[in-house]
Amino acid sequence: MMAWLQFWTMVLMVMMALSISLAIAEDSDLSMVEAEKRGLAEIVKKESHPVLFRQKREWIWNNLYVEEEKPAPIAYKIGHLKSSQRAERKRYEIEGEGANTIFTVDHKGDLFVTRSLDREEKSLYHLTAKLFDSNDKLIENAGDFVVHVTDINDNSPIFSKTFNGSIMERSPMGTKVVEVNATDADDPTTANGELRYSLTQYGDVSAFEIDSVTGVISCKTNTLDRETKSQYVLVVKVQDMRGMASGSTATTSVTITVTDTNDNMASFTRKVYELQVPEDHKLNEKIGTLELEDRDQIQNKEPIFTIPSEHNRMFNIELSPNKDGNLLLKQALDYETKNSYTFTVQVRENLLFPADNPNSAVTKAQVNIKVLDVDEPPVFSKPIYTFNVMEERMENIGVITATDPDRAKKTIRYSILDKDCPIGINPLTGQLSTLRTLDRELEATHRFQVKAQEEPSGLESFVKVDIIVDDINDNKPELVVDEIFVCENDGSKTVIGTLRATDKDDQPASFSFDLHSGSSNFSIKDYGNNTADIMVKDGPFSLDDPKDYTVYVRVSDGGQPVQTSITTLAIKSCRCDARRIPTQCKASAQRMSMSVQALIAILLCILTILVIVILFVIRKRYQKDSLANIKNSGDIHEQLVTYDEEGGGEMDTNGYDVSILSSACNDGSLLRHPDRHPHPSLYAMVQKPTHPTACKGDMAVMIEVKKDEADHDRDGIPYDTLHIYGYEGPESLAGSLSSLESSSTGSNLDYDFLNDWGPRFRTLAELYGVDGPDYYHQY
């Protein structure tokens, strides 16, 4: 409570001090601020409370102002510096922005401006004043003051950029479109810088208005229609001086675009659409296009098509990229069943506003579709065929049926594409049958394609066929048993192994086990659950016993028909410890399972091989005997028989005695002379003589050429008879190269010249020229 009393007491004292200050003001230039200062000083004298103490200020002056752009041909006074300090003579100094250049002060304290100032360049100047006496003694410390440059309307408003806007058609009134802004360099706190906006009559102002203070352009109607007018151009004027006529102005154009919305109903371009489609037209592919007309832009074009229920299972309509209707086929057409379709299509749209064209839009159209006849390929009665057939049987399987869907009903021929397929088909009836027996264990299902082809058009279709091979009991059971051994000390009825069996057939088997032939040492006990034990019947057993222990196990599968196999099972004899763990065993033969048919096949193969070997040996021996008889015969006569080109008849043949050809062997003309190198062209000049007598020199040259070719051609067949050269008969003076008349006994002929005929005759030279007659007899 005491604190509040003190507070209000202080307030009353301040108010009294202010009244006293105003009353005792001596100078007319003293301001309210100075009076406040003096009043506060009186308070300080009366109340020494530290909170209310303020330092005394000695500088006294008013606010200083300079008018912008005021001419200053000579400096003019803008104010006076005063101080409460008393001195006979005073001297003032100023410092700061523009001190002593723009602003000067005289000895009286008058402040002058020396030139015109621009507020937009600088609006405030901060200065400091100092007071000295005549002895240049600082009487009063520095005091800060500010010179204000007052604004005049010397700048026009400016639009800094171009303004454009957009608005959706049918927008409500008052919708903001765009805000325009202009700037003015003059003082915005004065009328010089206060701007006002307006729309001039040079633009389209019927649909828009502008806020004069903010520059916001808005719509003043709700009937904008893009289809009627899609763009407006406004001229905006800005003026300072709060829009008064004396203010400066500027203008700019504003373009406003009206954007589209879905406010127009789609309309068919035609009332009737005539379409044609072949009956083999693919499903879900376009039949034709129902064109639409919509004044809205394509992104706002949203037509919805409706087809009558009795036809919408057959046809469908989807939007095209241009938002027209593509008519699609949903089900296959058949010209023979129905060759035309007629229905009505409706179109509508979900509009955001009432349609602009409710009366002119065509929302219904009739569609007439004509189905064109096409020669179609055969059609199978099923999409896939599946048949069952018993393995190991030759039988008819089933029938593949295809028909011509056209009215012509052409003939159909069937074929199987897989050439290695074991199934055949009747080309006219489609009857499937086996070409060879099938084995389920090798291939349980046969899959192939059947082709049906029309005649004579050649149109074809294909279908898949699956042949499932049913199982019969045609496989023998196979014995499954681990390695069996018998210990030396095994007693009677000791179980030495368990027997099981498997069967490749698909049918469930009931295996039974027994011994095919009796055994004095072992027996089999069949448990009737597809297992059996082999047991010791009588011992003892010894590793020193040279014989092997084997049993013949017979396994039956119990199927229809019953299949049986006999397996030879070898049993090792071992020396075992007390726990019947073998420590030493004697090797035994492996078990072998084989059917009777397999044994017969092996025996037949062995017999066949033996017969072939015997026949081969007999043939070789016969050939050797024949050669020996020929070589041992001393009198050999041969007759060369040639036929004319007509051939065949007795009158067309000539006989030659080959023995005469050997007479030329003593003639040295056949010998090769190392210094003699005939040119190959000489052989080309040799012609078959028309006279029976042949020139010996030409024959020798020809033989030399042929020998030279034979020496350099390792792949050719050596020449043996002269009829190859075109010279035959007893009149030939060249002699014979045949070895048929060569004597295997002693001969006075010298065959060493064969060494000179090249590498191909060296072996012949060795046979006839190196070894003696004994060699020939041996050969």
Side-chain angles (χ1 to χ4, degrees), residues 577-768:
D577 59 13
R579 293 178 297 175
R580 203 175 181 276
I581 297 176
T583 58
Q584 182 183 357
C585 295
K586 184 178 70 173
S588 63
Q590 300 292 327
R591 71 175 186 271
M592 179 177 63
S593 177
M594 188 175 299
S595 63
V596 177
Q597 291 86 345
L599 289 173
I600 294 174
I602 292 174
L603 291 175
L604 288 176
C605 290
I606 294 174
L607 290 175
T608 302
I609 293 173
L610 289 175
V611 170
I612 292 174
V613 171
I614 292 172
L615 291 175
F616 182 76
V617 171
I618 294 174
R619 183 174 179 274
K620 293 294 291 184
R621 182 172 296 177
Y622 174 77
Q623 289 178 346
K624 288 182 179 180
D625 293 342
S626 299
L627 290 173
N629 292 333
I630 292 174
K631 290 183 178 182
N632 293 329
S633 175
D635 188 10
I636 299 177
H637 297 280
E638 294 178 348
Q639 187 72 20
L640 295 180
V641 179
T642 63
Y643 293 88
D644 291 339
E645 293 181 357
E646 302 297 332
E650 293 182 0
M651 300 301 294
D652 297 329
T653 61
N654 291 322
Y656 302 95
D657 186 3
V658 298
S659 61
I660 301 177
L661 296 177
S662 61
S663 61
C665 294
N666 297 324
D667 193 342
S669 62
L670 293 180
L671 299 178
R672 177 176 180 149
H673 300 283
D675 57 343
R676 190 174 178 186
H677 300 284
H679 196 276
S681 62
L682 294 176
Y683 172 67
M685 299 173 60
V686 178
Q687 301 292 333
K688 185 173 181 179
T690 56
H691 193 271
T693 303
C695 178
K696 178 178 180 180
D698 293 343
M699 187 64 184
V701 171
M702 183 271 296
I703 291 176
E704 289 293 331
V705 173
K706 283 299 180 179
K707 288 193 300 179
D708 186 73
E709 292 178 355
D711 290 341
H712 293 86
D713 183 12
R714 295 184 177 273
D715 298 327
I717 301 175
Y719 296 94
D720 198 324
T721 58
L722 288 179
H723 73 83
I724 295 177
Y725 308 135
Y727 291 86
E728 296 177 304
E731 294 82 10
S732 175
L733 300 179
S736 176
L737 295 180
S738 175
S739 61
L740 296 178
E741 282 296 317
S742 301
S743 176
S744 61
T745 60
S747 176
N748 57 356
L749 293 177
D750 184 11
Y751 293 94
D752 290 336
F753 68 91
L754 294 174
N755 291 315
D756 299 329
W757 283 19
R760 295 204 175 197
F761 291 87
R762 288 176 184 171
T763 303
L764 188 62
E766 292 175 0
L767 293 176
Y768 288 90

Side-chain angles (χ1 to χ4, degrees), residues 88 112 466 515:
E88 295 180 0
F112 295 88
D466 288 337
L515 291 176

Side-chain angles (χ1 to χ4, degrees), residues 273-299:
Y273 291 88
E274 299 286 346
L275 302 175
Q276 293 183 343
V277 57
E279 62 175 332
D280 61 349
H281 191 80
K282 294 182 179 180
L283 299 182
N284 298 317
E285 289 195 358
K286 184 178 71 173
I287 298 175
T289 301
L290 307 181
E291 297 87 357
L292 294 177
E293 184 181 55
D294 195 332
R295 297 177 64 192
D296 294 324
Q297 293 179 335
I298 189 170
Q299 67 268 20

